[in-house]
């Protein structure tokens, strides 16, 4: 115990103000013109995933429904599913991998 460093405590003569509150946030609203770019980036991430070979399960939130589909391909305007149906990209509100 004798080889511990000595600690010097200085007297604080000025007033401290270290109880300030900090808030860092962001506005999570998506403007209408940003929404298609956001959906397209999510779709691109699904197809660029290393686990994607020829199909990928996804939960797709549409304007009026939520569906779980196996996506096998895409065109410029649509996603192609394993059951042979087509989902318009304009109708997609959100898409997530399962």
């Amino acid at each position: 115990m004798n080889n511990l460093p000595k600690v010097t405590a200085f007297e604080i003569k000025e007033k401290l103000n270290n109880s300030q509150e900090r808030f860092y946030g962001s506005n999570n609203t998506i403007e209408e013109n940003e929404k298609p770019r956001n959906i397209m980036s999510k779709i691109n991430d699904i197809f660029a995933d290393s686990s994607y070979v020829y199909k990928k399960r996804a939960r797709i939130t549409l304007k009026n429904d939520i569906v779980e589909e196996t996506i096998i391909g895409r065109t410029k305007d649509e996603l192609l599913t394993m059951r042979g149906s087509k989902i318009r990209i304009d109708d997609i509100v959100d898409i997530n991998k399962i």
Side-chain angles (χ1 to χ4, degrees):
M1 291 274 196
N2 291 336
N3 55 358
L4 293 176
K6 295 186 179 196
V7 178
T8 305
F10 294 101
E11 181 181 348
I12 301 173
K13 295 180 180 179
E14 56 191 52
K15 183 178 178 184
L16 296 178
N17 188 11
N18 60 358
S19 62
Q20 298 174 357
E21 293 183 15
R22 301 272 187 228
F23 177 77
Y24 298 99
S26 65
N27 190 355
N28 291 331
T29 60
I30 298 174
E31 293 181 20
E32 198 62 35
N33 59 356
E34 290 181 354
K35 192 163 78 171
R37 185 174 50 89
N38 188 19
I39 296 299
M40 285 307 295
S41 67
K42 285 186 172 187
I43 292 171
N44 290 337
D45 290 344
I46 290 173
F47 284 102
D49 189 15
S50 62
S51 66
Y52 175 80
V53 177
Y54 72 96
K55 63 180 180 178
K56 189 69 174 176
R57 295 226 4 109
R59 178 173 292 117
I60 304 169
T61 305
L62 302 170
K63 291 178 181 176
N64 57 1
D65 197 12
I66 298 175
V67 295
E68 290 185 6
E69 290 285 345
T70 304
I71 301 171
I72 59 171
R74 67 178 167 186
T75 65
K76 182 181 175 187
D77 300 325
E78 298 173 325
L79 293 178
L80 309 173
T81 67
M82 189 75 139
R83 295 187 296 166
S85 62
K86 298 176 182 178
I87 300 173
R88 291 191 41 84
I89 293 175
D90 292 339
D91 295 339
I92 297 174
V93 176
D94 193 21
I95 184 168
N96 296 308
K97 295 182 280 189
I98 297 178

